[in-house]
């Protein structure tokens, strides 16, 4: 697991004043391909972290027993999210991991409520 530095209180307050746009992806890997997918996903995170304008943060949740990964990404704006979906760094990554995926669904979502920090 990779842990990054926590932003200062001013950065958190500014982010909360302008709510993010969220994208969620639910990915079912092919049998026997879960670990390879997770490794490639982590490599992609390390390759692009801090380099994509408009990305506020991301979380990868995984269920090895089910072979499922859930990705949650927050963007400053819907335009930033759309720009990232077209970014060659993202589209080329999708081409690399596609053979490992059985099913995937990506969708924009809205925050319904928030309690605590995750």
């Amino acid at each position: 697991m990779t842990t990054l530095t926590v932003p200062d209180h001013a950065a958190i307050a500014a982010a909360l004043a302008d709510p993010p746009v969220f994208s969620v992806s639910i990915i079912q890997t092919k049998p026997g391909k879960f670990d390879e997918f997770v490794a490639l996903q982590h490599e992609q995170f390390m390759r692009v972290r801090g380099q994509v304008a408009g990305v506020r943060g991301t979380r990868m949740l995984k269920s090895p027993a089910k072979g499922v990964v859930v990705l949650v990404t927050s963007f400053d704006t819907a335009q930033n999210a759309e720009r990232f979906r077209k970014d060659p760094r993202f589209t080329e990554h999708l081409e690399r991991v596609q053979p490992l995926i059985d099913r995937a669904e990506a969708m924009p979502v809205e925050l319904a409520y928030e309690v605590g920090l995750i």
Side-chain angles (χ1 to χ4, degrees):
M1 180 176 82
T2 302
T3 304
L4 302 177
T5 307
V6 176
D8 62 37
H9 291 289
I12 293 171
L16 294 176
D18 189 16
V21 173
F22 293 99
S23 175
V24 172
S25 298
I26 303 168
I27 302 159
Q28 173 74 56
T29 59
K30 290 182 178 176
K33 299 297 182 181
F34 179 79
D35 290 335
E36 185 178 354
F37 176 84
V38 169
L40 286 174
Q41 195 64 35
H42 188 262
E43 288 173 14
Q44 173 70 359
F45 164 73
M46 296 303 289
R47 186 175 17 261
V48 301
R49 75 175 177 169
Q51 297 181 30
V52 180
V55 173
R56 289 192 181 188
T58 189
R59 299 284 186 277
M60 181 171 77
L61 309 168
K62 61 183 184 172
S63 175
K66 298 288 186 178
V68 172
V69 169
V70 177
L71 299 169
V72 180
T73 305
S74 62
F75 298 90
D76 288 333
T77 66
Q79 292 81 9
N80 291 130
E82 184 62 27
R83 187 170 34 253
F84 180 67
R85 282 190 284 276
K86 295 176 181 178
D87 188 306
R89 294 170 292 188
F90 179 68
T91 58
E92 290 167 7
H93 173 66
L94 288 181
E95 290 174 16
R96 279 191 298 278
V97 297
Q98 188 61 45
L100 310 175
I101 296 172
D102 189 31
R103 290 187 319 266
E105 185 173 2
M107 65 199 86
V109 296
E110 297 174 3
L111 183 64
Y113 68 85
E114 184 174 10
V115 178
L117 295 175
I118 61 166

